[in-house]
Amino acid sequence: MRPDTPADHTAEAERLLRTAAQYPEDHEPLLLQAAAHLELAGDRPRATTLYDRLLSSSTKMDHPHLVKAFKAANLWEYGHEPEARAIIDGIRAAAPLDPAAWGIVAETLESHDELDLAHASLTTALTLLGVAEATIDQAAALPYSTQSLLTTRHRVRRLLALPHDTWDSLADELHTAPISLDELHDPKRLWSLGSEDPAELQAELARLRAELGNYRLALSRPFPVAVLHWPEPELDELLTAYPELQSEYPTHTAHLLDIEASLRELAAAGTPNLGIVTATVPSYEAFAASESSSPANADLLPQYATTLAARGRATSWPPGRGADCWCGSGVNYGDCHGAA
C-alpha cells in the first residue's frame, strides 16, 4: 500500500480512536487528530461525527471554538455551506482568545473567496490578542498560532490589493525564509506557471518550495517531535523496578544533559516544533501493557514519548525568554540547561 493513501489515513484514525478509548482524559486532541485523518481519507461525514462527539461531550473542552472552526471548515468542503457559515458567525460573535480557532476561520473563508470577511476576522483576532502595539521582539515571543495570523492576514491583504500596514511590516520582519512574503503572496504568481520562460518557471519552483516549507512547518506544529524527560524520583523508581534500562539512563544528570543535547542537535538539523514530554512510571507501565510488552523493553521508550505528544502532553522547547528551565530546577533556562 502506498504511503499516505486514504486507507493509511483511515487506519491511523482508527488507531487514534483506540488510544482515545484508553486515555479518555486526552480525548480532545486525539479525536481532533482522528478527524483530520478522516478528512484526508475523504470521509468527511464521519469526521463531522467526531467533531459533534466532542462538542456534545459532558467533559469540558480545552479549545471548544477550535473544534467548531474545524467542523465549519469540514462542512463547507462537502456542501454544507449555510451550516458552516452559521458556525463561523457564532465564533466571530463569541470573540474567543484562541488564535488557532481564528486561523482556521480565516483560512476557511479565504479558501472560499470570502476575502473581505477573512480580513475582518483576522484584524479582529489580532486586536483581541493584543498584537496592536507589539514590537518585533514581543511578536517573536508570541505563540506560533498568533504569528500565523499575521502571515495569513498579509496574504489576504495582498489578494485584496491593500497597501502594507504596520501588521504587514511585522509579518515581514518575522518571516525568515529567503523569499519574501510579498513574493510568496503575489496574486500574479499563478500566471507565471503558464510561462514558457525557463527562468520564470525556475523562480516559481523556488517560491513554491519555500511556501511548501512554511506549510510543512505549520502542519507540524500540533504534533511536536518530543523527547522523553524523567524527573529524578520517577527515574529512580523506573530503574529500581526495571534495572535493564540502566544502560539507557546511567545517571539523572546524564539524562538531563542528553535531553538538551538531543534537542539542540535536532534544532541544528532544521527539525521544527520540538518538545519535551514528562514521563511517569505508572503511565509508562500502562502504555507497555497496552502494547503487550514489558516496560523493560527499551524500544518502547520512543513510542511512549510519541504517544504522550499525540495526547497533547508536550511542552515546547526551548522555553521562552525569561522562562524557567524545562528540567524543573526552578532556575531560568538561560542560566541552567540553556547556558552555552
Side-chain angles (χ1 to χ4, degrees), residues 181-194 203-204 206-209 211:
L181 283 182
D182 273 348
E183 192 171 356
L184 286 175
H185 297 164
D186 185 354
K188 297 178 181 178
R189 282 176 51 203
L190 291 177
W191 292 101
S192 66
L193 291 174
E204 181 57 23
R207 287 190 289 266
L208 288 172
R209 288 192 188 99
E211 195 165 39

Side-chain angles (χ1 to χ4, degrees), residues 76-120:
W76 205 326
E77 287 300 323
Y78 73 105
H80 295 271
E81 179 183 337
E83 187 177 352
R85 285 182 178 276
I87 294 172
I88 287 174
D89 288 344
I91 295 171
R92 297 183 72 232
L97 296 177
D98 183 349
W102 284 107
I104 298 300
V105 164
E107 289 174 9
T108 301
L109 292 168
E110 179 191 357
S111 68
H112 294 283
D113 295 324
E114 294 285 354
L115 297 180
D116 288 323
L117 193 54
H119 180 257

Side-chain angles (χ1 to χ4, degrees), residues 50 53 128 133 141 144 149 167 184 201 212 246 312 331:
L50 290 186
R53 177 175 159 188
L128 287 169
E133 305 298 330
Y144 175 80
L149 296 179
W167 283 343
L184 286 175
L201 290 172
L212 180 60
Q246 188 72 51
V331 178

Side-chain angles (χ1 to χ4, degrees), residues 289-306:
S290 71
E291 296 292 316
S292 302
S293 184
S294 166
N297 179 5
D299 292 339
L300 285 180
L301 294 168
Q303 298 175 40
Y304 174 51
T306 300

Side-chain angles (χ1 to χ4, degrees), residues 282-330:
S283 169
Y284 177 56
E285 289 174 334
F287 172 76
S290 71
E291 296 292 316
S292 302
S293 184
S294 166
N297 179 5
D299 292 339
L300 285 180
L301 294 168
Q303 298 175 40
Y304 174 51
T306 300
T307 299
L308 288 179
R311 292 168 60 195
R313 297 301 181 89
T315 57
S316 62
W317 178 95
R321 185 179 300 174
D324 288 347
C325 188
W326 54 263
C327 71
S329 65

